[in-house]
Amino acid sequence: MTSTKTHDADSETPRLNRRQAAKVRTRQKVLDAARALFAERGYEPATIRDIAKGAGMSTGAVFANFQDKAELFEAVLSEDLVRLAETLKAAAAAESSVRARLIAALTAGYHGSLEQLPLVQAVVARSWFQPVASEMRTRVAIKPLVMVVSDALQTGVREGELRQDADVRLLSELIYDAYLSNYRRAAYDGWTIQQLTTQIGKQIDVILAGQISRN
């Protein structure tokens, strides 16, 4: 009798061998140590030597996984942006009005990153000086965050809160830029989460003032 059982290799999740799994664990240990140091000191004062020490390994092990500190910083940023986008998305989903969705999402973003302010400062500072290729990769990485804002606005248009001809792309960029600009208040003026929340609320109101549907 011919067996009807088939083997679908594509449906199986590839398994890492012991060596590959160890490499993944090593890379993650380096990323975790680097994140902690960048969050504590910022970019410039954090050295590869100290990152290696924090990870409990040699500098050679760090360079086996990352070309230099800039690449390591970019990898940390990419991981954090993925997590931050999920945080914003979950916060926005819990609200019903477009204004409430935007404020909830962006406030959640402040909560998620304010405790590692030196890292945020490093991200903003390096954005002015990093190579073009790195800047383009960073822009791709932040797209999910901007999309949370864009989705909230699109929902507002669909539900009649915002005008049907609202320029969602431009509004998204303006709101996200306002969100980022407020980190300077936290960094240099000691603003609290509550102050940041109040500020972003006022900024959103101004940006959306001419976009509210009158029907």
Side-chain angles (χ1 to χ4, degrees):
M1 186 168 84
T2 303
S3 172
T4 58
K5 192 174 183 179
T6 61
H7 179 73
D8 187 355
D10 292 337
S11 66
E12 295 183 358
T13 302
R15 295 184 179 179
L16 299 177
N17 60 38
R18 188 171 300 177
R19 183 177 180 182
Q20 290 171 322
K23 184 173 178 62
V24 169
R25 287 194 298 271
T26 297
R27 177 183 171 87
Q28 192 59 51
K29 284 179 68 176
V30 173
L31 284 171
D32 292 343
R35 177 179 294 103
L37 207 59
F38 288 140
E40 177 188 345
R41 303 181 185 177
Y43 181 80
E44 293 298 339
T47 67
I48 290 292
R49 185 183 297 277
D50 287 339
I51 291 170
K53 183 178 179 180
M57 58 188 63
S58 67
T59 55
V62 174
F63 286 120
N65 287 273
F66 300 95
Q67 180 178 343
D68 52 26
K69 189 170 72 169
E71 183 182 19
L72 178 52
F73 184 79
E74 190 175 322
V76 168
L77 177 60
S78 294
E79 273 200 351
D80 283 3
L81 287 175
V82 169
R83 296 192 187 105
L84 188 58
E86 290 302 317
T87 297
L88 266 64
K89 188 174 181 180
E95 301 295 338
S96 56
S97 72
V98 62
R99 184 181 189 276
R101 280 191 292 270
L102 290 169
I103 292 177
L106 299 179
T107 300
Y110 290 136
H111 274 287
S113 55
L114 209 58
E115 62 186 22
Q116 45 187 10
L117 194 53
L119 177 57
V120 176
Q121 289 176 276
V123 171
V124 176
R126 281 186 57 76
S127 67
W128 288 97
F129 304 107
Q130 64 185 350
V132 173
S134 296
E135 170 64 15
M136 298 310 294
R137 287 193 294 271
T138 299
R139 290 188 181 194
V140 170
I142 68 171
K143 276 186 178 180
L145 278 70
V146 181
M147 282 302 300
V148 173
V149 176
S150 178
D151 288 346
L153 294 170
Q154 290 282 13
T155 301
V157 173
R158 287 197 305 271
E159 296 182 352
E161 288 186 79
L162 300 179
R163 290 168 38 177
Q164 294 299 303
D165 62 349
D167 188 336
V168 170
R169 180 176 179 179
L170 177 59
L171 293 173
S172 300
E173 292 174 352
L174 290 172
I175 291 171
Y176 186 75
D177 287 347
Y179 163 73
L180 283 184
S181 72
N182 291 334
Y183 278 107
R184 293 182 64 85
R185 306 279 192 177
Y188 301 111
D189 300 325
W191 276 26
T192 64
I193 291 289
Q194 184 56 54
Q195 288 174 299
L196 293 172
T197 301
T198 300
Q199 179 76 353
I200 194 63
K202 291 178 180 178
Q203 290 165 322
I204 288 171
D205 288 342
V206 170
I207 293 169
L208 296 184
Q211 305 302 314
I212 303 299
S213 175
R214 302 303 178 188
N215 295 333

